[in-house]
Amino acid sequence: MSKTNRGRFFEDYQLGEVLHHAVPRTVGEGERALYHALYPARHALYSADSFAQSCGLKSSPLDDMIAFHIVFGKTVPDVSLNAVANLGYAQGRWLTPVWPGDTLRAESEVIGLKQNSNGKTGVVWVRTTGLNQHNEKVLEYVRWVMVRKGDLDAAAPQTTVPDLPDALTVNQLKVPEGLIFSDYDFAQAGEPHRWGDYELGEKIDHVDGVTVEEAEHMIATRLWQNTAKVHFDTSARPDGSRLIYGGHVISMARALSFNGLANAQMIVGLNGGAHANPCLSGDTIRAWTEVLDKAETAAPGVGAIRLRLVATKGGAPFELRDEEGKYRPEVLLDLDYWALMPR
Amino acid sequence: MSKTNRGRFFEDYQLGEVLHHAVPRTVGEGERALYHALYPARHALYSADSFAQSCGLKSSPLDDMIAFHIVFGKTVPDVSLNAVANLGYAQGRWLTPVWPGDTLRAESEVIGLKQNSNGKTGVVWVRTTGLNQHNEKVLEYVRWVMVRKGDLDAAAPQTTVPDLPDALTVNQLKVPEGLIFSDYDFAQAGEPHRWGDYELGEKIDHVDGVTVEEAEHMIATRLWQNTAKVHFDTSARPDGSRLIYGGHVISMARALSFNGLANAQMIVGLNGGAHANPCLSGDTIRAWTEVLDKAETAAPGVGAIRLRLVATKGGAPFELRDEEGKYRPEVLLDLDYWALMPR
Amino acid sequence: MSKTNRGRFFEDYQLGEVLHHAVPRTVGEGERALYHALYPARHALYSADSFAQSCGLKSSPLDDMIAFHIVFGKTVPDVSLNAVANLGYAQGRWLTPVWPGDTLRAESEVIGLKQNSNGKTGVVWVRTTGLNQHNEKVLEYVRWVMVRKGDLDAAAPQTTVPDLPDALTVNQLKVPEGLIFSDYDFAQAGEPHRWGDYELGEKIDHVDGVTVEEAEHMIATRLWQNTAKVHFDTSARPDGSRLIYGGHVISMARALSFNGLANAQMIVGLNGGAHANPCLSGDTIRAWTEVLDKAETAAPGVGAIRLRLVATKGGAPFELRDEEGKYRPEVLLDLDYWALMPR
C-alpha cells in the first residue's frame, strides 16, 4: 500500500540473505573538507598529498572514518530503521583506501539471528561490505543490532550466533599497498613518538574537549546519508532531544586523539565497540586511550598498535566502569581498534 | 552618495529591461558535498557517477536545486532586496544539467509591472535565466514579487500582467540530452516504484521529519550567495527571528520526498509555488506529495510526473487549506513541479 | 612523561629560532565551497573562474583569507596554545595566490622577545611564512602574542623588540603575476565604483549584519585546523562561553564589506590589526571601512587602496574609540590592510 520504507522487522531477515543497500555515493574533496570542518582532524596522511606521497601513497586518501560512515549510512534503511539498540561491532577491516572520485556502495549478509526471550525483539548479526567502483572491498565489519518484531506471531528463526573473536590478529590486518613509514617526517606529522615509544597498558589523556552542537551532528549525519529519525526529528524521542549518531562521537574522539597519537595514522582494524551512553547537543566530548597490544607488520617501518579509545562527556580520564562493572554514566564510547604507526 | 546598494524600488523597473545580475559563480564538488550535508538528499542520480552513467549521463550532475538556488541568489540584490513578499513562480524549466566546474551567471527580464492600489507598493514580474560558461541556458523561471516604492510620488507604470499558464505542458519539458531509464537499477535507486505505479490523485506521506537550526539555514543561504538581510540579521525583523530562506524549505522537502519518490530523479519543470507561512529555526519540517499529472516523453524509459510537494511544520499530512480556502498555518510550502521517472 | 603537547611557554622561545609547524594541508574546492557557506563572500575574482581569467589569472584562486587562516592555524600549537593575548599583526604580505590542489605548510622565526615586568608573562614576536608545495612563499606576516611563563624562575631573555613600520609601502606589495584590471567587468563584479572613486578619509557603512552561531564558528575554526581550546570547549573559560576565533570576525567583516567595496578584489597587505573585544555566539557582526591611503601599481589598471576595516557588534557606524582613546566596547576588530582595485 504505502510507497515509503517502513524498514525491516526481525522476522524479515533470513540467515544467509544478502542485502544490497541502495544509493551508491561518489566521494571527493568536498567530503574531505567537511570532515576537517566537523572534526578537529589533523592526522597528516589525511591532510596533505605531500605527506601521503612521502609514505608511498599516490595522494592523500579520504579519512578512514569517512569510508566507515558512508558504508554504515547505506545500511541504516535496511538494518537499523527499527533497531532498538546498536549492540556491537566486530571483525572490522579497512581493505583499500578511498580516493577522491571513488564511488562507494554497500551490501550486508545476515550471519546470525536470535529471537529474544520476550518474543518482541531479536538480534540480527550482519557482515557489511563496502565496495568501490572497481568492485574492490574497501571495508568490512560485523555489526549486530536489536530489532523489533513487526508481527509478534511470526515464528522465531533457528538461533544462530556467529563466532566472533574478541580482536583481529595482526595477520588479518591489511596494510595499504605501497605504504612505507621508513622516511616518515615526524616534525611534519606533529609529534615525535614512534611505535616503540608506546607501552602496553599505557594510558593517554588527550586533554582537549569539544562541546557539540545540533547543527554540527545533523550536518555530519546527513553527509553520511544516515537517515535514522532519532538524529534529526525532535518528535522522535519522548524527551524531545536529538540523539547524536554514535559515529559522530567516534570521529570526534579519534580526531581529539591526535594530541598524543598524531602518528597513529591509519585505522586498519575495528575489534569492537560500544556506544555506552547517549550523546546530546551541549555535551563536551573528551577522549583517552589505552594501549592494548602491539605487533610488527611486513611493510617497511610500519608497526601496528591496538588501542582502546574512550570518549566521555565528563568525569576524570581513565575511569571506564563502576563497581558493578557497568559503564560509568559519563562514558560515551569504548572503541577497540588497530592503527598503523611508524616504528 | 553612498557606495552601498540600497536595492531597487518599484519605480526603478522598466518593462522589457534586462538586469544582468552580478557575481558569476563556479560550482563543483564542494557545493555538492555541502548539499548532501545540509539536506537528506539521496536521489541516486545526484549521488553517484556510476548511477548517472547507467542513465546515459557523463557523470553525476549537481542537484537541480543547486542550480535554482545559485541563480535565485544572484537575482536577490536586483530584484528582492526591497521585496515585501515573494508572490509566486511559474514556467520554470531546467534546460541543461550543471556539472562540477561549470560557472553560472544570471539575468532577468522585466515582463510585468502593476502598481498596487495603495500606491505604496507594486508587483514586478521577471523572467530569470541562468546560463553556464558556454552561454547555454541552464534554467529559466518567472518570479513575481511585491516591491516597495522608494518615491511614493513616482508615476505608476502602465499595468502589464503577463499571461502565465498554470502548468508547463509535457512538450515544454526538456529531457537532458542522452538520458535513458531503460537500464535503470531500481535496487540501487532505493525503491521499486516506477512511473506506472503512481496514480493521479495518489498522496504520499514522506514520513520523516527534520528539525532545523539557525546555523544550517544560514550556511545554506550564504552558499547560494543570497544576501537578503532577514535570513541573517536578528535585528532585521521586529520579533528578532531570522526568516528561513524559502528555498531551504524546498530543498528540505524535496530531499525528504525520497522516501516514497526515490525514483523521481530529475526536476525538469516548476509550474508554481507558494511559501505559505514563514519557517523558523526549531521548526520540524515534514513533507507530503500529491500526484497531479503524468505524461510520457520521447526518451527511452523516461516518464514525466507532475507532483504537488507540500512542506509542513506540524499538523496531519494531506491537510492544505482551511475552510476559507487559506493555507493552514502549519503549511510552509506548496510546490508544483514536473520530475522525470523510469517508466 | 606525557605524550600530549602542553604548548610552549615564554622561556621555551629562543631569538632567531625557526619553528617548523606541523601538519601540511592540501586545500581545494571543498575549502572554497565552505568559505562561501560560512561567510557572505561575493568578491567575483574568488567566485568564478571566468571572472578570474578575465583578470589575467589561470583560474579563481582560493580566498586570500583561506591562506591566512590555514597558515595561522598551523602556528597555534607552537605559538599561541599558552597565549594570554594575541597582541598584533604587522608586515603581512600575500605573495602568491593559492590554487585548488595546493599544499600549504608554515614556519615561524622568533624575531623578538620581551619579558613583562610582572615576571609571569612575556611577549613573543614571530615572523610566520606560509609556503606551497613548490616552496614558494604564499604569505608572510609578523604576529606578537603575550605568553605565560611555565617556570617563573627561568631567566629573562635579553629584550629584543623588532622595528615594525606602521604600514607596508606600496613597493612592498606583491601584485599577483599576470593580474590586469584593464578589461575589468564592473557589472559582473557587482558595483561601478573604481579606485578613483574612493577618497582619502572616506567612510563606508557596509550596512548588512550577520548574527553568528556556535556551530558556524567552530566549523570554520576546525577547517583551519586551529586547535585553541577557548574556541571549542565550554569548560575552558570561567563564564562557559566559547570565544570566537578572531579570524572568523575578519572573514565575516571582509565579506560584509563587499557592499561598498565589491571591487577591492584582492588582499595583498596586512598593515596591522587588533581584536578589540571578544566576539561570542549571538552577536550580530556589522562592518564599516575608512579609506586610509591609495597608490598606483605597475600592473595594468591595478590600483592599491589602504583600508581600515572595523567590525562591531552594535553601536553606530564610524565610532571606534571612547574619550579615553580606548576601543569602544562594541568594537570587535580594527584591521588595516591593502587591497587591489581596478583604476
Side-chain angles (χ1 to χ4, degrees):
Chain A
M1 184 186 78
S2 167
K3 286 205 165 56
T4 51
N5 176 26
R6 61 169 202 153
R8 284 170 161 252
F9 292 93
F10 180 66
E11 68 271 19
D12 297 328
Y13 294 93
Q14 306 290 329
L15 194 75
E17 182 186 14
V18 177
L19 309 168
H20 297 275
H21 306 299
V23 190
R25 170 77 170 275
T26 303
V27 290
E29 290 180 31
E31 283 76 12
R32 178 204 300 274
L34 271 162
Y35 197 84
H36 281 94
L38 291 164
Y39 310 109
R42 289 191 286 151
H43 286 90
L45 200 131
Y46 301 95
S47 180
D49 286 340
S50 58
F51 194 92
Q53 286 156 1
S54 78
C55 297
L57 304 181
K58 64 180 178 184
S59 64
S60 179
L62 296 188
D63 196 282
D64 305 310
M65 289 308 301
I66 293 180
F68 180 82
H69 295 318
I70 296 258
V71 169
F72 185 100
K74 306 250 143 288
T75 71
V76 167
D78 298 317
V79 174
S80 43
L81 220 54
N82 296 308
V84 182
N86 194 27
L87 297 173
Y89 307 103
Q91 297 287 304
R93 303 197 308 152
W94 279 257
L95 299 165
T96 312
V98 175
W99 310 101
D102 278 0
T103 298
L104 303 182
R105 61 189 174 85
E107 54 189 46
S108 297
E109 182 183 353
V110 179
I111 61 166
L113 289 171
K114 178 173 178 290
Q115 184 165 312
N116 287 329
S117 54
N118 62 14
K120 294 179 180 167
T121 56
V123 179
V124 180
W125 284 259
V126 294
R127 183 183 303 276
T128 295
T129 307
L131 301 116
N132 67 16
Q133 71 276 21
H134 309 299
N135 279 320
E136 295 166 331
K137 288 185 183 179
V138 160
L139 171 72
E140 62 176 22
Y141 64 90
V142 172
R143 175 163 78 116
W144 56 107
V145 292
M146 191 186 302
V147 181
R148 268 189 290 272
K149 290 187 77 170
D151 172 8
L152 295 185
D153 297 330
Q158 185 163 348
T159 292
T160 307
V161 176
D163 182 35
L164 297 169
D166 280 353
L168 295 155
T169 63
V170 71
N171 296 335
Q172 291 180 284
L173 304 179
K174 176 84 167 54
V175 178
E177 208 176 303
L179 187 78
I180 49 167
F181 282 157
S182 4
D183 292 320
Y184 192 89
D185 186 336
F186 287 87
Q188 285 294 287
E191 288 182 353
H193 324 303
R194 47 178 79 227
W195 181 84
D197 297 330
Y198 291 87
E199 292 175 25
L200 295 200
E202 181 174 350
K203 290 178 177 173
I204 303 155
D205 176 8
H206 299 301
V207 179
D208 301 314
V210 172
T211 308
V212 293
E213 295 288 318
E214 300 285 13
E216 293 170 348
H217 76 82
M218 293 198 294
I219 284 172
T221 308
R222 276 191 294 255
L223 187 61
W224 321 129
Q225 294 178 314
N226 178 333
T227 60
K229 290 177 176 45
V230 289
H231 307 316
F232 298 107
D233 180 350
T234 52
S235 71
R237 282 163 50 95
D239 67 356
S241 69
R242 279 164 277 182
L243 192 66
I244 293 181
Y245 162 49
H248 193 64
V249 178
I250 296 178
S251 277
M252 193 62 84
R254 157 73 175 164
L256 288 168
S257 78
F258 177 92
N259 202 342
L261 283 167
N263 297 319
Q265 291 284 357
M266 304 192 88
I267 300 181
V268 287
L270 176 62
N271 300 308
H275 298 290
N277 285 290
C279 181
L280 302 178
S281 176
D283 288 345
T284 300
I285 301 179
R286 293 174 196 286
W288 57 268
T289 289
E290 179 182 1
V291 178
L292 298 180
D293 200 358
K294 290 169 64 178
E296 302 190 2
T297 83
V302 179
I305 188 164
R306 185 180 161 199
L307 302 165
R308 174 200 294 275
L309 172 63
V310 176
T312 67
K313 54 179 176 182
F318 315 136
E319 301 283 338
L320 187 64
R321 296 178 182 275
D322 62 19
E323 50 273 30
E324 293 173 18
K326 287 189 186 166
Y327 284 116
R328 297 174 67 91
E330 68 272 15
V331 172
L332 297 170
L333 173 76
D334 180 11
L335 196 80
D336 179 342
Y337 72 103
W338 281 102
L340 300 181
M341 232 183 184
R343 283 164 61 188
Chain B
M1 183 186 78
S2 168
K3 288 204 164 57
T4 52
N5 175 25
R6 62 169 201 154
R8 284 168 161 253
F9 292 93
F10 179 66
E11 67 271 18
D12 297 328
Y13 296 92
Q14 306 291 329
L15 194 73
E17 181 186 16
V18 176
L19 309 167
H20 297 275
H21 307 299
V23 190
R25 169 78 170 275
T26 304
V27 290
E29 291 180 30
E31 283 76 11
R32 179 205 297 275
L34 272 162
Y35 197 84
H36 281 94
L38 291 164
Y39 309 109
R42 289 191 287 151
H43 286 90
L45 200 131
Y46 300 95
S47 179
D49 286 339
S50 58
F51 194 91
Q53 286 156 359
S54 77
C55 298
L57 303 181
K58 64 180 177 183
S59 64
S60 180
L62 295 188
D63 196 282
D64 304 310
M65 290 307 300
I66 293 180
F68 180 83
H69 295 317
I70 296 258
V71 168
F72 185 100
K74 307 248 143 291
T75 71
V76 167
D78 299 316
V79 175
S80 42
L81 220 54
N82 297 307
V84 182
N86 194 28
L87 298 172
Y89 307 103
Q91 298 286 302
R93 301 197 309 152
W94 280 257
L95 299 165
T96 312
V98 175
W99 310 101
D102 278 1
T103 298
L104 302 182
R105 61 189 174 85
E107 53 189 45
S108 298
E109 182 183 354
V110 179
I111 61 166
L113 289 171
K114 178 172 178 289
Q115 184 166 313
N116 287 330
S117 53
N118 62 15
K120 296 180 180 165
T121 57
V123 179
V124 180
W125 284 259
V126 293
R127 183 184 303 276
T128 295
T129 306
L131 300 116
N132 66 18
Q133 71 277 23
H134 309 299
N135 279 320
E136 294 165 331
K137 288 186 184 179
V138 160
L139 172 72
E140 63 177 21
Y141 63 92
V142 173
R143 175 162 78 116
W144 55 108
V145 292
M146 192 187 302
V147 180
R148 268 188 289 271
K149 290 187 75 168
D151 172 8
L152 296 185
D153 297 330
Q158 185 164 345
T159 292
T160 308
V161 176
D163 181 36
L164 297 170
D166 280 352
L168 294 155
T169 63
V170 70
N171 297 335
Q172 290 180 285
L173 305 179
K174 176 84 166 56
V175 177
E177 208 177 303
L179 188 76
I180 50 167
F181 282 158
S182 2
D183 293 320
Y184 191 89
D185 186 337
F186 288 87
Q188 285 294 286
E191 287 182 354
H193 324 301
R194 46 177 82 227
W195 182 83
D197 298 331
Y198 291 86
E199 292 176 24
L200 295 200
E202 181 174 350
K203 290 178 178 173
I204 303 156
D205 176 9
H206 299 301
V207 179
D208 301 315
V210 172
T211 307
V212 293
E213 295 288 318
E214 300 285 12
E216 293 171 347
H217 77 82
M218 293 198 294
I219 284 173
T221 307
R222 276 189 295 254
L223 187 61
W224 320 130
Q225 294 178 313
N226 178 332
T227 59
K229 291 178 175 45
V230 288
H231 308 316
F232 298 107
D233 181 348
T234 52
S235 70
R237 283 161 50 94
D239 66 356
S241 69
R242 281 163 275 184
L243 192 66
I244 293 181
Y245 162 50
H248 192 65
V249 178
I250 296 178
S251 277
M252 193 63 84
R254 158 71 175 164
L256 288 169
S257 79
F258 177 93
N259 203 343
L261 283 167
N263 297 318
Q265 291 285 357
M266 304 192 88
I267 300 181
V268 287
L270 176 62
N271 300 307
H275 298 290
N277 285 289
C279 180
L280 302 178
S281 177
D283 288 345
T284 299
I285 302 179
R286 292 173 196 287
W288 56 268
T289 289
E290 179 182 0
V291 179
L292 298 179
D293 200 358
K294 290 169 63 178
E296 301 189 2
T297 83
V302 179
I305 188 164
R306 185 180 161 200
L307 302 164
R308 174 200 293 276
L309 173 62
V310 176
T312 67
K313 55 178 174 181
F318 315 137
E319 302 282 338
L320 188 64
R321 295 179 184 274
D322 62 20
E323 51 272 30
E324 293 173 18
K326 285 190 186 165
Y327 283 116
R328 298 174 65 93
E330 69 271 16
V331 171
L332 298 171
L333 173 76
D334 179 11
L335 196 81
D336 178 343
Y337 72 104
W338 280 103
L340 300 180
M341 233 186 183
R343 284 164 59 188
Chain C
M1 184 185 80
S2 168
K3 287 204 163 59
T4 52
N5 175 25
R6 62 168 202 156
R8 284 167 162 254
F9 292 93
F10 180 67
E11 68 271 21
D12 298 327
Y13 294 93
Q14 306 291 329
L15 195 72
E17 180 186 15
V18 177
L19 309 167
H20 297 276
H21 307 299
V23 190
R25 170 80 170 272
T26 304
V27 290
E29 292 181 30
E31 284 75 13
R32 178 205 298 273
L34 271 162
Y35 197 83
H36 281 94
L38 291 164
Y39 309 109
R42 289 192 287 151
H43 285 90
L45 200 131
Y46 301 94
S47 179
D49 286 339
S50 57
F51 194 92
Q53 286 156 0
S54 78
C55 297
L57 303 181
K58 64 179 177 181
S59 64
S60 180
L62 296 189
D63 196 281
D64 303 311
M65 290 308 300
I66 292 180
F68 180 82
H69 295 318
I70 295 259
V71 169
F72 185 100
K74 307 248 142 291
T75 71
V76 167
D78 298 317
V79 175
S80 43
L81 219 54
N82 296 308
V84 182
N86 194 30
L87 297 172
Y89 307 103
Q91 298 286 303
R93 304 198 305 152
W94 279 257
L95 299 166
T96 312
V98 176
W99 310 102
D102 278 0
T103 298
L104 303 183
R105 61 189 174 86
E107 53 190 46
S108 298
E109 183 183 352
V110 179
I111 62 166
L113 290 171
K114 177 172 179 289
Q115 183 165 314
N116 287 329
S117 54
N118 62 16
K120 296 180 180 168
T121 56
V123 179
V124 181
W125 283 260
V126 293
R127 182 183 304 275
T128 295
T129 307
L131 300 117
N132 65 18
Q133 70 276 22
H134 309 299
N135 280 319
E136 294 166 331
K137 288 186 183 179
V138 160
L139 171 72
E140 62 177 22
Y141 63 91
V142 172
R143 174 161 79 115
W144 56 107
V145 292
M146 191 187 302
V147 180
R148 268 189 288 272
K149 290 187 75 168
D151 171 9
L152 295 184
D153 297 331
Q158 185 164 347
T159 293
T160 309
V161 176
D163 182 34
L164 297 169
D166 280 352
L168 295 155
T169 64
V170 70
N171 297 336
Q172 291 179 284
L173 305 179
K174 176 83 166 57
V175 178
E177 207 176 304
L179 188 76
I180 50 167
F181 282 157
S182 3
D183 293 320
Y184 191 89
D185 186 337
F186 288 87
Q188 286 293 287
E191 288 183 352
H193 324 302
R194 47 177 79 227
W195 181 83
D197 298 330
Y198 291 86
E199 291 176 25
L200 295 200
E202 180 174 351
K203 290 178 178 174
I204 303 155
D205 175 9
H206 300 300
V207 179
D208 301 314
V210 172
T211 307
V212 293
E213 295 288 319
E214 300 285 13
E216 293 171 348
H217 76 82
M218 292 198 295
I219 284 172
T221 308
R222 275 189 295 253
L223 187 60
W224 321 129
Q225 295 178 313
N226 178 332
T227 59
K229 289 178 177 42
V230 289
H231 307 316
F232 299 107
D233 181 349
T234 52
S235 70
R237 281 162 51 95
D239 66 356
S241 69
R242 280 163 276 183
L243 192 65
I244 293 181
Y245 162 51
H248 193 65
V249 178
I250 296 178
S251 277
M252 193 63 84
R254 157 72 175 164
L256 289 169
S257 79
F258 177 92
N259 202 343
L261 283 167
N263 297 319
Q265 290 284 357
M266 303 192 90
I267 300 181
V268 287
L270 176 63
N271 299 308
H275 299 290
N277 285 290
C279 181
L280 302 178
S281 176
D283 287 347
T284 299
I285 302 178
R286 293 175 195 287
W288 56 269
T289 289
E290 179 182 2
V291 178
L292 297 179
D293 200 359
K294 290 170 65 179
E296 301 189 3
T297 83
V302 179
I305 187 163
R306 184 181 161 199
L307 302 165
R308 175 200 293 276
L309 173 63
V310 176
T312 67
K313 55 178 177 181
F318 315 136
E319 301 283 340
L320 188 65
R321 296 179 184 274
D322 62 19
E323 50 273 31
E324 293 174 18
K326 286 190 187 167
Y327 284 116
R328 298 174 66 92
E330 68 272 14
V331 171
L332 298 171
L333 172 77
D334 179 12
L335 196 81
D336 179 343
Y337 72 104
W338 280 103
L340 300 181
M341 234 184 183
R343 284 164 60 189

